[in-house]
Structures are given as structure tokens and as C-alpha cells.
Amino acid sequence: MSQTTIAHRSAIFHCLTDPDLGHLEDTYEYFEDGVLIVKDGHIQQIGDAEKVLAGHSNIEVIEHRNKLIIPGFIDTHIHYPQAEVIASYGEQLLDWLENFTFPAEAKFADRQHCESTAKFFLDELLKNGTTTALVFGSVHKVSVEAFFDQADKQHLRMIAGKVMMDRNAPDYLTDTAQSSYDDSKALIEKYHGKNRLSYAVTPRFAPTSSDQQLAMAGKLLAEYPDLYLHTHLSENKQEIDWVAELFPECENYLAVYDKYNLLTDRSVFAHAIHLSDSECQRLACTDSAVAFCPTSNTFLGSGLFNLSQMQQHKVQVALGTDIGGGTSFSMLQTMQEAYKVCQLSEQQINPVKAFYLATLAGAQALKLDAKIGNLKATSEADFAVLDLAATPLIDYRLQHSSSIEETLFILMILGDDRAIDATYSFGKCVYQKNQNFSTVL
Ligand SMILES: [Zn+2]
């Protein structure tokens, strides 16, 4: 895919490492008048505009005035079949699954329904500046085929998997250990490593998989060493009690997954709210990651994620929206909620850390930080352009901002999809506010 060289001139911010691992100002780069040189889908150069542009004659320059370029957001836990149950009233996890989620997921037996939902879902991600997501399909193989086909049309970097679920769910939504293995394998063969797509082995959570099915999930991971593993862990107290009843031989929830060799450096466990220190140690020592999904955790009344416990044990944490338990596709809104959740347990997320969790940390969790999550030269050109005057309130408040850190904080507290002016994937504009962009191009 050959593209001409384009210079994007704007204020630019990106994280270089976890802000807790160094002096804060050394952990990110900020250019007040910066430029990104993009060629063939990759970033060729980043730096001060005047200096860098002096070395390029006859280059096309796109001026993003009163904007801020950041890496595209990375959502490390989201369900595409649940877009239609976002904002469903009044339940906690287990009832919510039964009353809202399962009936909605049943519709994904139909290819057309999958296609129209995948299209809507990808449009929402791009409209919110999210360029990569780790995505649950439904139990149906076709749900993932439709999702990947839509994502591939725009050459997006996406990771998804078919739900494996062979018990404790309605008959119309269950597979078997063998069929889940066969269907996952067929999807892996067809899509894993195709362009920018990757596959995640996706048992829904321990209670809906038999021992045989969890063993099959482990078998897939052993057969293809660069696959992801994506599931839920310790979201809700009732759920944890249920897991203890179903797997009495395991000393805790994580031990169930461990027993079937599902803890790898490409495993992402969503929620992980109620963990013991020994579970945290085990996550750290297997280099597994957890997805902190604050809007879902408060909405479903699941509990407050303990970020400092994770940090103490050096567990890799990233952010997820968990649509449809989560209440917004916006990673800015998700950062805002993460800040509030931490405030309630006397912890603080500074704004650089919040942006780190929504970008580079996601890439690190997915072992993709050499490609996405930052704007270093040679990275793939996936980035979002934030509008610093998106609303009258943001515009007004930013006039009183005295630093990039304050600006970032204002954006994460006041911003949502309106703050995304444009989204670029692999160097190409895939969303522009106020223009009619669609995944069916
Ligand atoms: Zn979830």
C-alpha cells in the first residue's frame, strides 16, 4: 500500500513508558508545534515542526490548528454483540447476562445482523479515536467472520475471538468443547495474521466452560504460540462464589485458568477487581495483563478496581470500555471514570498515567508496543486528533490551562466523542468529524 509522504503539523503528545517508572516529564514527549511525517502507513519522523520540516522540501503538510495529536486509543476489553444492550437498567453481572446479554447475542447467528452491528460498532470506535480493540464476538463463528471482514476493509489493527461457552447458558447459545475448538481453529487459520488482524481464544468466563472446553482453549494456545487469550476474571462477588463451587479443587479463581495453561504473556483478563495477593503475583510472573473497565464496574456495581495493588505486584494494567456493561465507547470518558474509581479508594491517576493506560499500556498488554500505542519513528501511523475547542466549555476551560498535563486532565474530564476531530489508521483518515465516513467505503 503506497502512500505519498504527508506531514501532520499540530501539538503532539505521546507516552514513552509507564509514568510511574521515571521522572514524570521524562516519560512522555510533547511538542507544542510538532510534526509527524507519515509514509506508507508508518511514522517516519516526529519532532519540532520547524526543525523537521526544514529537512523536507515539497512535502504535503496538513495543518491541524488548535488540535492535539495523540496515539490512537487501545480498548483492551469490549463486546461487539453487546452494543445494543448498553444502558440496560438495573442488574448486576449474573442477572444482566441472563436478562440482556444472552438474548442480544442470540441474534448473531444471522450473518446480516453481524455485519450491520460490526459496521456500527467499528464506526463508533473510530469516532471515539479508538484504533485497536480486543473484542469479544458471540458464540457464533459467523460473528467473528463478519467482524474481521469489516475491520479488514479498512485495514484496521483489531483482535477478536469467538466466545467458547458449553454450559450454564441457554441452549441456543452453547457450543461444545469440540465444536468450539474446531470453529476457533478455522477462524485462526483464516484470519490470524491476515493483514492487521489477530485472533484471541475467548472462553467467556470459567463458569460457562467445562473442564474439557478449558483444556481445548489451552490446546489452541499451545498449537499457535502467538495467539491471545481473552476472558473475564473476578468481576463480581457472586460470580467468584460460583467459580469456587464449580471448581472446588482450585484454590482461587485465577487457578482455574492456570490449571489449563491459559496464563501467557498474551493473556488479558478483564476486571480482576477482587484478587488476592497470590493471584496478582501469579499474573505478574506469567506476564499476563488485566483490563481495568471502570465504567462497567461502577455501572454493574461490581466493585472498585485496586490499581495500587496491581502496581505493587507489577501487573500490566490497561483500560477497557467493556461495552455493553460499560457506559461509553469513549476512552476519554473511561479515563474520567478510572480517575473517580481511584479517588474513591484514595489513589490518584495523574493525567499522563491515564493517557498511558489508554494508549501505550494497551499496546504493552497486547505485546504490540513496537507497532502501536506511541508515535515513535517506525510505528504504525494510528493516531487521533483531539479538538481543543470541541465544546464551548472545553474551549473556555483550556484558555486557563498552563501546561500539557493540565490540558490532558481537562480533556479526559470534559471530553467524549465530540473531542475527536479525526482518526487515522495506518496513515489513512478513517474518521473526520462532520463528514460522512463509513466502514463501507
Ligand atoms: Zn466483558
Side-chain angles (χ1 to χ4, degrees), residues 14-18 71 74 132 157 228 265-266 287 316 356 359-380:
H14 69 145
C15 291
L16 301 172
T17 184
D18 183 342
I74 298 172
T132 292
R157 185 168 281 293
Y228 294 95
D265 64 356
R266 285 165 179 257
D287 197 16
Q316 177 71 54
Y356 161 76
T359 56
L360 182 59
Q364 290 170 335
L366 299 169
K367 301 294 176 288
L368 287 171
D369 46 312
K371 292 187 164 76
I372 55 171
N374 63 71
L375 301 172
K376 286 191 223 171
T378 76
S379 287
E380 295 172 354

Side-chain angles (χ1 to χ4, degrees), residues 88-92 95-96 100 299-300:
S88 293
Y89 173 76
E91 305 283 10
Q92 292 215 347
D95 294 324
W96 193 83
F100 301 120
F299 181 73
L300 292 175

Side-chain angles (χ1 to χ4, degrees), residues 83-359:
E84 74 175 61
V85 296
I86 186 171
S88 293
Y89 173 76
E91 305 283 10
Q92 292 215 347
L93 177 67
L94 300 178
D95 294 324
W96 193 83
L97 284 173
E98 199 174 315
N99 296 333
F100 301 120
T101 307
F102 290 157
E105 291 193 2
K107 299 180 196 167
F108 285 76
D110 174 55
R111 167 97 198 185
Q112 258 188 343
H113 183 74
C114 297
E115 278 174 11
S116 59
T117 309
K119 182 184 157 320
F120 174 81
F121 175 87
L122 286 166
D123 283 348
E124 279 298 308
L125 288 182
L126 298 176
K127 185 182 167 186
N128 281 282
T130 299
T131 47
T132 292
L134 177 57
V135 180
F136 260 68
S138 71
V139 75
H140 314 94
K141 184 176 162 216
V142 67
S143 72
V144 176
E145 290 170 339
F147 176 78
F148 275 147
D149 289 344
Q150 286 291 339
D152 197 39
K153 276 186 191 166
Q154 288 188 288
H155 204 61
L156 303 176
R157 185 168 281 293
M158 289 286 160
I159 308 169
K162 177 205 110 67
V163 165
M164 301 170 82
M165 178 158 72
D166 67 349
R167 64 168 175 169
N168 293 322
D171 288 345
Y172 58 81
L173 268 189
T174 47
D175 52 14
T176 67
Q178 188 60 47
S179 76
S180 69
Y181 172 84
D182 294 341
D183 285 351
S184 300
K185 195 170 173 104
L187 289 165
I188 292 161
E189 292 288 338
K190 187 166 176 197
Y191 294 103
H192 184 60
K194 180 187 181 192
N195 296 323
R196 301 177 80 206
L197 308 176
S198 300
Y199 194 82
V201 174
T202 310
R204 168 166 239 118
F205 66 154
T208 49
S209 285
S210 63
D211 293 79
Q212 294 88 322
Q213 187 166 59
L214 293 171
M216 286 298 195
K219 187 165 182 245
L220 286 166
L221 294 185
E223 286 173 4
Y224 301 87
D226 57 348
L227 286 179
Y228 294 95
L229 182 283
H230 185 198
T231 190
H232 297 93
L233 172 69
S234 292
E235 176 175 2
N236 168 292
K237 294 236 166 96
Q238 260 183 303
E239 169 211 10
I240 296 168
D241 292 343
W242 193 21
V243 171
E245 275 169 40
L246 292 169
F247 299 92
E249 75 285 8
C250 294
E251 64 169 320
N252 54 48
Y253 195 156
L254 187 68
V256 177
Y257 297 133
D258 209 359
K259 182 176 170 189
Y260 295 102
N261 302 315
L262 304 184
L263 274 64
T264 77
D265 64 356
R266 285 165 179 257
S267 298
V268 177
F269 296 95
H271 306 301
I273 300 173
H274 312 281
L275 292 188
S276 62
D277 284 343
S278 69
E279 287 172 294
C280 294
Q281 280 159 13
R282 189 67 191 136
L283 286 169
C285 109
T286 53
D287 197 16
S288 299
V290 301
F292 172 18
C293 307
T295 73
S296 170
N297 298 161
T298 52
F299 181 73
L300 292 175
S302 301
L304 302 177
F305 182 80
N306 191 340
L307 182 63
S308 68
Q309 184 191 22
M310 295 297 164
Q311 286 180 324
Q312 210 184 323
H313 291 285
K314 299 190 166 52
V315 177
Q316 177 71 54
V317 177
L319 278 186
T321 59
D322 193 28
I323 296 295
T327 54
S328 174
F329 277 84
S330 168
M331 292 296 277
L332 294 168
Q333 290 280 293
T334 306
M335 283 184 247
Q336 181 206 112
E337 196 81 349
Y339 178 80
K340 291 176 180 171
V341 163
C342 287
Q343 282 283 56
L344 285 169
S345 44
E346 291 168 28
Q347 305 170 40
Q348 252 94 41
I349 300 184
N350 71 54
V352 176
K353 178 82 179 189
F355 275 77
Y356 161 76
L357 289 172
T359 56

